[in-house]
Amino acid sequence: MVGDSHGETYLSVLPTTRDETLPHDGANARAVDLALRVQPADVRADPAWVRRTIITVSIAFLSLFIVLPLVNVFGQALSKGVTAYISALADPDTLAAIRLTLAAAAISVALNLVFGVIAAWAITKFEFVGKNLLITLIDLPFSVSPVIAGLVFVLLFGLQGWFGGWLSAHDVKIIFALPGIALATIFVTFPFIARELIPLMQEQGSEEEEAALSLGASGLRTFFRVTLPNVKWALLYGVLLCNARAMGEFGAVSVVSGHIRGQTNTMPLHVEVLYDGYQSTAAFAVASLLALLALVTLIAKAALESRGAEE
């Protein structure tokens, strides 16, 4: 209602509650009552059909490209029975491939563990010339084909390589032997541990280490009592990923191994040899071990993430 008092204009606003509604106006009362009952819709919520479509597509994609191949691997591995499955895994060449894979993975994980911790410590705790270059080099294996990495080692340590003559004269074998396989595996896996540690250590800063040093703790004691407990879950997560990648590496190892059956074939290479030799059951049996490794890695990854979130 608009009125005038002493030359001033004022505006009377309609009431907004049920008790204050205008008398003798049932339509207005019902409109106000309805407005009070209706809750505003969440504009951020997607329609139900959109949510159902996204969920269905995601599940279908995962089932088609991940679950179905895994089920097929185990189904083919056991297609001729458990006895044939065990016999394929007990084959001397298969056992040699398993031992070689474990040895190469152990060497690469151990060395990358030391390198990853040192690199992460240097990058996050110090300022020095070439720091950005070091970060770039750590990421290099992500952008270089593993086959190219293997070829680089052949050109360096092969018989016709830069150091091939000297190595041959001293009867040192790197290419087509365990050292070459370990070097190739180290190259393709060394970013994993460092890349897990660097963001976490940057976020944590160096205040706790500085406090420990100011209280008289040595650098080594500070590392084991302060730094390591703060990054232990990220470190274990990086080791887990590094190990899984090392055991499943194919491209770089294929170039430097020589495919000598029973001597320089890792598990992925042995799967290829068996399948090319029309031994499909044995090939899928060995592949099932790698699939089991993938499943164990996923379970361990989830457990580590859960423990890390709790702390």
Side-chain angles (χ1 to χ4, degrees), residues 97-109:
I98 294 173
R99 287 193 296 268
L100 181 62
T101 302
L102 293 176
I107 294 171
S108 62
V109 169

Side-chain angles (χ1 to χ4, degrees), residues 22-305:
L22 294 177
H24 312 298
D25 194 345
N28 283 344
R30 287 193 298 272
V32 172
D33 182 72
L34 180 62
L36 292 173
R37 290 174 181 271
V38 176
Q39 297 295 328
D42 187 356
V43 297
R44 298 171 298 176
D46 294 321
W49 69 270
V50 174
R51 297 196 298 271
R52 287 194 293 266
T53 301
I54 293 175
I55 294 172
T56 301
V57 171
S58 301
I59 294 175
F61 186 89
L62 291 174
S63 300
L64 180 62
F65 292 102
I66 296 179
V67 177
L68 186 60
L70 285 176
V71 172
N72 181 59
V73 166
F74 287 103
Q76 293 290 340
L78 297 170
S79 61
K80 294 185 179 180
V82 177
T83 303
Y85 179 82
I86 296 176
S87 176
L89 295 181
D91 180 75
D93 290 344
T94 300
L95 294 177
I98 294 173
R99 287 193 296 268
L100 181 62
T101 302
L102 293 176
I107 294 171
S108 62
V109 169
L111 293 179
N112 282 324
L113 175 62
V114 175
F115 167 80
V117 171
I118 293 175
W121 181 278
I123 290 172
T124 57
K125 306 299 181 183
F126 306 108
E127 293 295 333
F128 54 91
V129 177
K131 181 177 178 178
N132 292 331
L133 177 61
L134 177 58
I135 296 175
T136 302
L137 291 177
I138 289 175
D139 292 334
L140 185 63
F142 289 142
S143 58
V144 174
S145 168
V147 175
I148 300 300
L151 182 60
V152 168
F153 288 112
V154 171
L155 295 176
L156 287 175
F157 304 113
L159 187 59
Q160 305 300 323
W162 288 4
F163 307 107
W166 186 89
L167 293 172
S168 178
H170 292 79
D171 197 25
V172 177
K173 293 183 179 180
I174 294 182
I175 302 302
F176 307 150
L178 175 59
I181 295 172
L183 283 174
T185 307
I186 289 169
F187 178 85
V188 299
T189 58
F190 80 78
F192 288 96
I193 296 178
R195 268 302 170 192
E196 289 298 323
L197 293 177
I198 291 172
L200 179 60
M201 294 176 72
Q202 285 177 332
E203 181 180 355
Q204 291 178 344
S206 58
E207 290 80 6
E208 294 185 11
E209 287 87 351
E210 292 173 355
L213 292 172
S214 67
L215 293 175
S218 64
L220 196 60
R221 185 178 179 84
T222 300
F223 173 76
F224 283 106
R225 299 297 295 272
V226 178
T227 304
L228 192 58
N230 288 338
V231 301
K232 61 182 178 181
W233 297 119
L235 183 63
L236 289 175
Y237 187 51
V239 168
L240 179 70
L241 295 179
C242 181
N243 181 70
R245 182 71 173 86
M247 288 192 175
E249 174 53 31
F250 181 87
V253 173
S254 177
V255 176
V256 301
S257 72
H259 291 271
I260 305 174
R261 190 166 181 171
Q263 297 183 33
T264 64
N265 271 348
T266 59
M267 290 172 64
L269 300 182
H270 191 56
V271 170
E272 181 192 35
V273 170
L274 291 174
Y275 194 80
D276 289 343
Y278 302 100
Q279 297 175 274
S280 59
T281 301
F284 280 108
V286 179
S288 69
L289 292 181
L290 294 172
L292 283 174
L293 170 66
L295 295 176
V296 170
T297 300
L298 289 176
I299 295 173
K301 171 179 174 292
L304 290 176
E305 289 178 342

Side-chain angles (χ1 to χ4, degrees), residues 1-11:
M1 170 179 169
V2 179
D4 183 75
S5 176
H6 303 291
E8 296 181 1
T9 302
Y10 64 91
L11 176 65

Side-chain angles (χ1 to χ4, degrees), residues 10-23:
Y10 64 91
L11 176 65
S12 176
V13 182
L14 289 175
T16 57
T17 62
R18 295 184 59 183
D19 294 335
E20 299 176 11
T21 54
L22 294 177

